[in-house]
Amino acid sequence: MSKIRGAIVVNTDRCKGCQLCIVACPKNVIALTQKKVNVHGYPYVEPIRPEDCIGCASCGIVCPDGCITVYKKRMED
């Protein structure tokens, strides 16, 4: 039986730090950076627990600026 794992990639230059993806993530994979900002001066989100991502794509769906790409990978037992 294989298990699906996910991975997210955030376009940090486009992210405005609205935090909608943080609220949408059922596994608390994403967090807002505390001391970093992007080229526009916004704090941005980043995966802090990438190993817990299940690839549900909730974060990418709610992102108003389309900053998050979600990948799914099948992991063998």
Side-chain angles (χ1 to χ4, degrees):
M1 177 118 191
S2 60
K3 180 177 168 182
I4 300 292
R5 297 252 342 243
I8 66 167
V9 176
V10 179
N11 182 338
T12 56
D13 287 343
R14 292 185 58 197
C15 180
K16 295 178 184 168
C18 71
Q19 302 183 45
L20 291 174
C21 57
I22 295 171
V23 175
C25 182
K27 296 293 187 177
N28 299 315
V29 171
I30 309 166
L32 194 64
T33 59
Q34 297 299 310
K35 297 182 179 182
K36 296 186 267 185
V37 294
N38 63 16
V39 295
H40 302 290
Y42 294 112
Y44 53 87
V45 297
E46 62 185 356
I48 57 165
R49 295 177 30 201
E51 66 281 354
D52 291 341
C53 183
I54 58 173
C56 69
S58 293
C59 56
I61 292 167
V62 300
C63 181
D65 297 311
C67 301
I68 301 175
T69 305
V70 180
Y71 297 97
K72 293 181 184 178
K73 182 177 182 183
R74 189 175 312 275
M75 305 297 288
E76 298 299 324
D77 288 341

